[in-house]
Amino acid sequence: MDLEFVVRGGPLDGRAFALAEGQPLTVGRALQCDIQLDDEGVSRRHCTVTPRDGEVSVRDLDSVNGTFVNDAQVTTAMLKPGDRLRLGRTLLELREALPRAVAAPPMLALTAETTATRTIVRKQIDPGRLDWLVTTPPRAEEAALLRRAERHLAAVHEVSDLLSRARDVPSLFATILDTVLKVTDADRAALMLRREGAAEAGRGDVALAAARVRRGREEPEFAVSRTVVRDVLESGISTLSHDALADARYQAGESIVLQGIRSVMCAPLRTTDAILGALYADSRSATGKFGEADLELLAAVGNQAGIALHRARLLADLERLFLDTIRAIAATIDAKDGYTHRHSERVAALAVRIARAIGLSDDEQRMVELAGLLHDVGKIGVPESILNKPGRLDTGELTDMQKHPVIGARILSHIQNPQIAALLPAVEHHHEKWDGTGYPDGLKGEAIPILARVLGMADFLDALTSARSYRSALHMDEAIRMLRDAAGTHFDHTLVEAVVRLHERGELALPKEPGPALPSIAPA
């Protein structure tokens, strides 16, 4: 029985991820994951899934927000068809695979065939030079040439604009393929990427990263010629076949024959100094569907798309470095106090859940997550004797401890990054109270930044439910009771109501590592 995960709800509703018997897949936000989910609540490497004998084993990879099967948090679990896997905001339902149109499959096998040589058009294309445009045509063909040039230039401009606005790699792939279908009038389009290390080794090993099919077409599979793709990758030369059924390179691919593929184009996805993959387009409608102008247009799209993909990968690497640095800073601060291991990560995760529950935007959720990781950075200026004191702090010690939000904001202000600048108010004011009795500035009510209110509540809950040097950890039920008691005085009552609803649905508690039992001492 073939299985697949299908997304339920959200912008990816209905998207399916195929599963292969015995093949483990990594799920997460990172580009290297087999199943990539564009969800800020999903860790970069969140979990693994492995199909076995009609079931799927799931293993959490120490994700920040946890892995849930049928609303129960798990470390490992076995799923059967009909079970639901929730990662962040993404809900995946396991089901038996059904035949359907190919929309954007993450994993598809390429059809292998022999390496025969028949080619109709095979040429090196300079995206900055259009051979068909610089050739002087007969007068009767001038109008058609001008229309073709207008279409070509308009398409290139549109591609450039669309690619510049793509925010992540999955949306970039979708934009590229939708544009290829539109400007070439192809029936199908695919984007293939070199496997990691293949480019450096001079090999053409590829994986089908994304595919699109024109609306209304049923596709049992998506088969292409590996020989043609490999040739394009290794030579950088674009290829056009007017009749794939007569081209020897396709004849051994039985599925090509069954699908009735007629015209085929393939062009490199390139940067100025590397070939990252290939763009493929085909048509069933007729032989000769594509001409050299279409091939040059596909090559131009491939050139722009390659640069956009390279830029997206660089940005992703910078983003990864940025987040890794933030997490390293948070871990360093938490390490000063033996009882606050991973406190900053848990506060960040709780803050994101609260922010999502009250309807804050994705950007605001991202800001509060970063603020959660960095909210205690100012404790670097607090002596460890105060941080680890086994009892109440005296007046002087309490004054020193209450300086940490201002110290943290001052330290972070030296980082010239707009994301850091945006989260400074949350870091500086996360200990303010709704009635104005908090610190450092005694802000009151709506004057407290919303992200600071969310962060302060997340900090409060994790502090109560974690073992500290002066008391044992409380159960979340008790922490929620104390939170309710503080509504309208210490905390925004609207946020308190949202958190209570999260708790009642079982969506609030985070896994805690067991700590030593401590005598119960009332918090200072």
Side-chain angles (χ1 to χ4, degrees):
M1 176 173 59
D2 294 329
L3 298 174
E4 64 185 3
F5 278 119
V6 62
V7 180
R8 296 303 187 192
L12 296 179
D13 185 40
R15 179 173 179 179
F17 298 95
L19 304 176
E21 178 71 18
Q23 179 180 343
L25 303 177
T26 304
V27 186
R29 282 177 26 225
L31 294 178
Q32 296 82 2
C33 290
D34 301 298
I35 298 178
Q36 185 183 10
L37 300 177
D38 183 21
D39 181 341
E40 290 294 332
V42 174
S43 297
R44 293 187 176 277
R45 294 182 72 257
H46 198 106
C47 68
T48 59
V49 295
T50 306
R52 290 194 182 95
D53 300 326
E55 296 183 333
V56 173
S57 66
V58 177
R59 181 170 66 88
D60 185 77
L61 298 177
D62 293 325
S63 63
V64 173
N65 291 331
T67 298
F68 294 80
V69 173
N70 298 331
D71 295 325
Q73 188 167 359
V74 301
T75 302
T76 61
M78 294 298 296
L79 279 67
K80 297 180 180 179
D83 288 339
R84 295 195 168 198
L85 175 67
R86 180 162 59 80
L87 313 175
R89 289 172 292 172
T90 303
L91 187 64
L92 301 169
E93 180 183 340
L94 182 65
R95 72 181 187 187
E96 185 176 353
L98 300 174
R100 66 187 184 283
V102 177
M107 298 177 59
L108 291 171
L110 302 183
T111 299
E113 78 305 301
T114 57
T115 57
T117 58
R118 189 172 187 271
T119 302
I120 303 300
V121 176
R122 186 173 180 272
K123 63 186 297 186
Q124 183 81 44
I125 295 176
D126 178 358
R129 174 184 171 85
L130 306 179
D131 292 341
W132 55 270
L133 186 57
V134 299
T135 302
T136 302
R139 181 174 298 275
E141 298 179 9
E142 286 182 354
L145 181 67
L146 288 175
R147 286 195 299 270
R148 181 184 296 174
E150 181 181 7
R151 168 174 165 263
H152 187 114
L153 295 175
V156 171
H157 174 75
E158 182 179 1
V159 169
S160 178
D161 180 59
L162 289 171
L163 294 183
S164 68
R165 291 189 276 114
R167 299 186 59 181
D168 51 59
V169 171
S171 64
L172 179 65
F173 287 169
T175 297
I176 293 169
L177 295 182
D178 288 342
T179 303
V180 169
L181 289 178
K182 177 181 177 181
V183 301
T184 66
D185 198 29
D187 292 330
R188 310 188 310 167
L191 187 149
M192 287 150 281
L193 296 178
R194 268 190 160 133
R195 298 187 188 276
E196 187 174 355
E200 293 79 359
R203 294 180 286 110
D205 300 79
V206 292
L208 191 53
R212 282 289 188 273
V213 177
R214 188 169 296 282
R215 290 181 181 275
R217 289 192 174 274
E218 294 293 326
E219 291 293 328
E221 62 177 303
F222 200 122
V224 303
S225 167
R226 187 183 294 274
T227 298
V228 172
V229 173
R230 184 181 294 116
D231 179 58
V232 169
L233 290 176
E234 293 178 351
S235 66
I237 294 177
S238 301
T239 297
L240 165 65
S241 178
H242 289 301
D243 189 353
L245 297 181
D247 193 325
R249 295 171 302 165
Y250 297 91
Q251 289 174 358
E254 182 178 352
S255 57
I256 292 286
V257 177
L258 294 176
Q259 293 175 103
I261 304 302
R262 309 296 300 204
S263 299
V264 171
M265 293 189 296
C266 190
L269 188 75
R270 66 192 314 156
T271 65
T272 54
D273 55 3
I275 297 177
L276 306 180
L279 279 179
Y280 168 93
D282 66 27
S283 173
R284 296 174 177 175
S285 58
T287 59
K289 176 67 175 292
F290 307 126
E292 290 191 42
D294 296 301
L295 186 62
E296 291 189 354
L297 183 53
L298 187 69
V301 173
N303 184 66
Q304 290 191 327
I307 293 172
L309 177 58
H310 183 59
R311 182 177 67 244
R313 285 176 168 177
L314 290 177
L315 290 175
D317 288 343
L318 288 174
E319 179 77 2
R320 188 178 303 108
L321 176 61
F322 173 72
L323 290 175
D324 287 347
T325 302
I326 296 301
R327 293 186 185 280
I329 293 172
T332 300
I333 301 306
D334 287 350
K336 290 194 67 179
D337 184 346
Y339 292 98
T340 59
H341 178 56
R342 299 189 71 179
H343 165 69
S344 297
E345 286 191 25
R346 293 193 301 270
V347 169
L350 281 170
V352 169
R353 294 183 185 186
I354 298 170
R356 186 183 305 137
I358 63 173
L360 295 187
S361 68
D362 289 346
D363 287 341
E364 288 171 317
Q365 291 176 38
R366 175 178 173 76
M367 286 300 101
V368 82
E369 181 180 21
L370 292 176
L373 291 171
L374 293 170
H375 75 286
D376 276 344
V377 70
K379 287 185 177 179
I380 197 170
V382 178
E384 291 184 25
S385 59
I386 295 177
L387 293 175
N388 294 311
K389 183 176 179 179
R392 289 183 179 273
L393 303 180
D394 61 33
T395 301
E397 292 168 335
L398 188 60
T399 299
D400 286 342
M401 176 67 83
Q402 291 180 348
K403 292 177 182 178
H404 81 268
V406 174
I407 295 173
R410 187 181 305 130
I411 291 172
L412 295 174
S413 68
H414 293 289
I415 302 176
Q416 300 301 309
N417 181 287
Q419 296 183 72
I420 296 297
L423 60 81
L424 291 181
V427 171
E428 185 169 358
H429 297 293
H430 71 276
H431 280 295
E432 304 285 2
K433 295 179 180 178
W434 191 250
D435 61 4
T437 61
Y439 60 89
D441 295 331
L443 298 183
K444 183 177 181 179
E446 297 288 344
I448 305 171
I450 182 62
L451 296 188
R453 281 179 262 160
V454 171
L455 183 58
M457 188 173 295
D459 189 30
F460 174 82
L461 288 171
D462 188 69
L464 288 179
T465 57
S466 301
R468 292 299 177 90
S469 59
Y470 48 82
R471 60 158 173 79
S472 299
L474 300 180
H475 190 275
M476 181 61 80
D477 290 338
E478 179 65 14
I480 291 295
R481 185 191 64 77
M482 296 177 66
L483 186 68
R484 278 174 159 163
D485 291 343
T489 54
H490 288 188
F491 299 109
D492 181 346
H493 56 85
T494 302
L495 296 189
V496 171
E497 291 173 1
V499 170
V500 170
R501 288 194 296 271
L502 283 175
H503 177 63
E504 290 173 345
R505 295 199 302 265
E507 298 177 5
L508 188 64
L510 295 173
K512 291 286 199 305
E513 296 180 6
L518 298 174
S520 179
I521 302 175

